Amino acid sequence: MAKTIIFLGPPGAGKGTQAQRLVDEKGFVQISTGDILREAVKKGTELGKKAKEYMEAGKLVPDDLIIALMEEKLRELSDRDVILDGFPRTVPQAEALDKMLPQIGRNLDKVILFELSDEEIIKRLSGRRIDPETGKVYHIEFNPPPKDVKVIQREDDREEVIKKRLEVYHSQTSPLVDYYKKQGKLFVVDASKSPDEVYNSIISVI
Ligand code: ADP
Ligand code: AMP
């Protein structure tokens, strides 16, 4: 059966960075709900129009939209090992996933929790920059972009929105830690370490 791994953790903890490496080196497919939504907003699709205001305010997009989106993606990728990056983010999303997986011939393997203090999260998010051409993620201090790459800052990586996203993580997403602990599926990694060290911890778990 194809693997299904969840990356859980606050925004800015390094989930996307690590997922990208597993894609490049281990043949996983990354399903990032945030990336899919940003693309939909850029293209002005129905989904994008519905999601835009929530994203700009740092709030979560309604569960029904996200659950339908994830089910469609998982059906498309039925035979591939996947990393769910940024989903689920609420208990109802996790319950919907539990219901959906057996119906599409999958089983949840492991949930990797990225642990990082709020102080570090703020440093990472405020310094994050993106190459709009390739989607590659940089950091002005920890992983500076090459001189010839013109990077942009995500709209929601501004200070006021970062604060809101953190609040949303603590109130709506962090209950999933207990949810998956009870299922015996939760594995914790110390996300404050270097990208290589975090990668090695993930590899030793999955
Ligand atoms: P997430 O997908 O969890 O929101 P990202 O992977 O986009 O997080 O990482 C957030 C920021 O932190 C980026 O600017 C990235 O370059 C940087 N970053 C990622 N992992 C590390 C790390 N282990 N140490 C320092 N900076 C990191
Ligand atoms: P991310 O790129 O994961 O930081 O997500 C960016 C934004 O997209 C979030 O702040 C939410 O507005 C929205 N989003 C992404 N994933 C979800 C999800 N699973 N549930 C609700 N909203 C989401």
Side-chain angles (χ1 to χ4, degrees):
M1 195 188 280
K3 282 190 183 142
T4 308
I5 311 275
I6 292 174
F7 277 6
L8 178 65
K15 303 180 298 296
T17 300
Q18 297 297 334
Q20 200 48 59
R21 190 155 169 200
L22 285 165
V23 168
D24 294 340
E25 297 182 22
K26 303 285 177 195
F28 277 87
V29 178
Q30 172 192 17
I31 308 179
S32 158
T33 40
D35 284 349
I36 296 168
L37 292 168
R38 274 184 294 280
E39 192 59 31
V41 170
K42 210 161 108 190
K43 287 192 180 146
T45 64
E46 275 313 303
L47 173 67
K49 281 182 206 154
K50 287 181 189 150
K52 190 168 189 275
E53 273 178 42
Y54 297 100
M55 295 174 78
E56 281 173 355
K59 295 180 185 164
L60 295 182
V61 172
D63 286 334
D64 53 344
L65 288 177
I66 298 286
I67 291 164
L69 170 72
M70 187 48 79
E71 178 155 5
E72 189 190 321
K73 280 284 153 196
L74 283 171
R75 284 189 187 279
E76 271 171 37
L77 296 164
S78 59
D79 54 345
R80 301 292 303 271
D81 293 340
V82 295
I83 297 165
L84 310 188
D85 168 11
F87 175 93
R89 259 171 147 111
T90 63
V91 171
Q93 289 180 20
E95 287 169 347
L97 182 68
D98 279 345
K99 221 169 117 197
M100 181 194 311
L101 286 176
Q103 290 169 4
I104 54 178
R106 283 186 179 272
N107 173 35
L108 176 59
D109 291 283
K110 281 170 183 168
V111 178
I112 313 285
L113 173 66
F114 287 61
E115 260 188 353
L116 194 66
S117 69
D118 283 6
E119 198 187 330
E120 285 303 317
I121 289 165
I122 292 166
K123 277 192 213 156
R124 288 200 187 170
L125 288 178
S126 53
R128 173 159 67 184
R129 297 294 183 275
I130 317 283
D131 176 353
E133 300 281 317
T134 62
K136 208 169 167 345
V137 177
Y138 295 97
H139 190 282
I140 47 173
E141 187 184 338
F142 308 138
N143 178 23
K147 286 229 159 42
D148 55 331
V149 174
K150 222 172 162 243
V151 290
I152 56 162
Q153 184 170 27
R154 259 171 62 170
E155 282 285 319
D156 58 353
D157 280 346
R158 283 174 295 112
E159 201 181 328
E160 326 82 76
V161 190
I162 291 175
K163 287 216 181 96
K164 178 68 192 171
R165 287 160 70 206
L166 264 177
E167 247 176 65
V168 166
Y169 176 77
H170 290 300
S171 62
Q172 291 180 261
T173 307
S174 69
L176 294 181
V177 173
D178 264 348
Y179 183 92
Y180 287 119
K181 216 183 257 172
K182 282 194 189 121
Q183 292 191 2
K185 301 234 161 123
L186 193 82
F187 295 82
V188 182
V189 302
D190 178 355
S192 71
K193 299 276 204 276
S194 72
D196 280 348
E197 285 171 296
V198 177
Y199 183 73
N200 291 332
S201 322
I202 294 171
I203 290 296
S204 69
V205 165
I206 64 176

